[in-house]
Amino acid sequence: MAINRIQFQKGLSFRDFQARYGTEVQCRDAMVKAKWPHGFQCPKCGSGGAYFLVPRQLFQCKACHHQTSVTVGTVMESSHLPLRTWFEAMYRLSHGKHSISALELKRYLGVRYPTAYYLKQKILCAMSAAESSRKLKDRVEIDDAYAGGATHGGKRGRGAPGKQPFLVAVQTAMENHRQVIYTVLKAVTDFKIETIEAWAKKALDPGTHVVSDGLHCFRGVAASGASHEPIKSEGGWKGSKMEAFQAVNTVISNLKGNILGVCRWCSARHLPRYLAEHQFRFNRRFNLQAIFPALFAAVTNTPPHPVRLLVSEACG
Ligand SMILES: [Zn+2]
């Protein structure tokens, strides 16, 4: 049996992770290197050189005595959790093939459920920020998809009540359509032509060749300079097996399994974050060794997301 090189690649084992980031000092050193790669720089006066105040885990500028932390200005700001708890949460959320629920995270980390829940949401915001500038090119399969709503009875798919619509775009190699490269997943309010135009300008390179099932709104991709090839899709099972849409149908199928398996039901408020999480992991599946460093960089580069913002609105 042929081995799938992507699925069988060597990742970062939990043992190796613990050896690198198992203590508070190791985590803090990693944060210091990320925040001040050329040595400490005071955010107030700009001078170098600081004392480290062990009891409060703060750096104090030698020149102006301003006190600061490695987490200031990041999504970790104001958190009272040990850094190693954040690091393990980042590992657990990035390294599996599938997402894990806040309940599982709570068990792994030994924290309260609300703590695990907001920790996860903040890390998902960092994943969303890291993927916000993703652009697709070459050949792109595009389709509409829906999350949530009634699970039994009632209408399915387009127009079903309570469903949260989202857009799925998958880049494949131009010549080999089975060679899937990247995906972009976007929660949308509707499938109107102007919605697709706005999305395409942001997410598609000019010159992209887009293949769709011909849903009226998809002609909006032309606003980005992309060409559009509508292919009439056969309904039902036959449609899902069509060669032209194999990549996008596979991504939708995996995504639905992941969202249903983890959160059972996804509200409109949280859907963008769950989509961003899936997109972040999917687009880095070629190099599992690099996925934790990528998430670490995202968490340290993403500005603070207070809990009130996580509750009231979706990020990304
Ligand atoms: Zn200073």
Side-chain angles (χ1 to χ4, degrees), residues 7-298:
Q7 292 197 8
F8 281 82
Q9 67 181 297
K10 189 174 184 292
L12 177 66
S13 72
F14 187 63
R15 183 179 294 185
D16 289 344
F17 167 79
Q18 282 285 76
R20 287 183 210 176
Y21 306 110
T23 70
E24 204 62 10
V25 171
Q26 287 172 312
C27 297
R28 192 178 63 238
D29 286 349
M31 292 287 296
V32 167
K33 276 186 193 150
K35 191 176 178 78
W36 299 302
H38 307 295
F40 174 83
Q41 189 177 24
C42 175
K44 192 172 178 191
C45 74
S47 66
Y51 303 106
F52 183 64
L53 310 175
V54 176
R56 297 184 62 203
Q57 299 285 300
L58 293 174
F59 290 85
Q60 180 170 304
C61 172
K62 286 181 179 175
C64 73
H65 306 296
H66 175 72
Q67 293 181 350
T68 189
S69 152
V70 282
T71 62
V72 167
T74 77
V75 80
M76 302 159 87
E77 185 175 307
S78 304
S79 169
H80 298 297
L81 289 171
L83 292 175
R84 64 182 185 279
T85 303
W86 274 93
F87 274 59
E88 185 175 342
M90 284 186 256
Y91 176 83
R92 301 282 183 192
L93 286 167
S94 64
H95 221 66
K97 189 161 185 272
H98 301 288
S99 179
I100 60 168
S101 66
L103 197 60
E104 282 175 280
L105 198 57
K106 163 194 174 305
R107 289 173 186 154
Y108 280 128
L109 304 179
V111 297
R112 294 166 61 239
Y113 178 77
T115 304
Y117 177 81
Y118 288 115
L119 190 54
K120 178 178 174 180
Q121 297 304 323
K122 287 184 179 193
I123 291 173
L124 263 47
C125 281
M127 289 177 167
S128 178
E131 284 292 306
S132 62
S133 57
R134 174 78 57 189
K135 264 189 186 276
L136 303 182
K137 59 182 183 179
D138 298 334
R139 178 182 177 276
V140 170
E141 295 176 21
I142 187 173
D143 204 358
D144 57 325
Y146 303 83
T151 53
H152 298 288
K155 193 177 173 187
R156 294 165 62 91
R158 287 172 190 164
K163 296 271 185 188
Q164 304 302 328
F166 63 98
L167 185 68
V168 181
V170 181
Q171 177 185 330
T172 72
M174 195 61 102
E175 301 304 326
N176 180 6
H177 302 172
R178 287 173 181 264
Q179 192 183 337
V180 179
I181 316 288
Y182 294 124
T183 190
V184 166
L185 309 165
K186 173 74 175 165
V188 292
T189 50
D190 53 59
F191 283 104
K192 292 181 178 167
I193 196 162
E194 51 270 29
T195 306
I196 302 301
E197 283 175 349
W199 170 82
K201 285 179 191 168
K202 192 165 178 284
L204 298 179
D205 257 8
T208 304
H209 182 66
V210 178
V211 181
S212 84
D213 62 4
L215 187 65
H216 180 75
C217 64
F218 289 149
R219 64 184 64 185
V221 298
S224 68
S227 57
H228 178 218
E229 180 185 2
I231 299 176
K232 188 163 170 50
S233 171
E234 296 181 57
W237 180 83
K238 278 188 178 173
S240 69
K241 295 291 174 193
M242 279 178 70
E243 173 78 24
F245 305 117
Q246 197 163 46
V248 74
N249 282 334
T250 303
V251 169
I252 290 172
S253 171
N254 291 343
L255 180 59
K256 285 186 171 174
N258 204 341
I259 285 185
L260 285 175
V262 174
C263 63
R264 311 306 299 173
W265 183 81
C266 206
S267 72
R269 200 174 65 213
H270 295 312
L271 183 62
R273 285 198 283 267
Y274 286 110
L275 294 177
E277 179 190 11
H278 192 85
Q279 180 178 323
F280 182 93
R281 268 201 312 272
F282 185 88
N283 290 342
R284 287 164 182 77
R285 70 199 184 285
F286 297 115
N287 187 356
L288 287 183
Q289 292 278 347
I291 196 164
F292 179 82
L295 181 55
F296 173 57

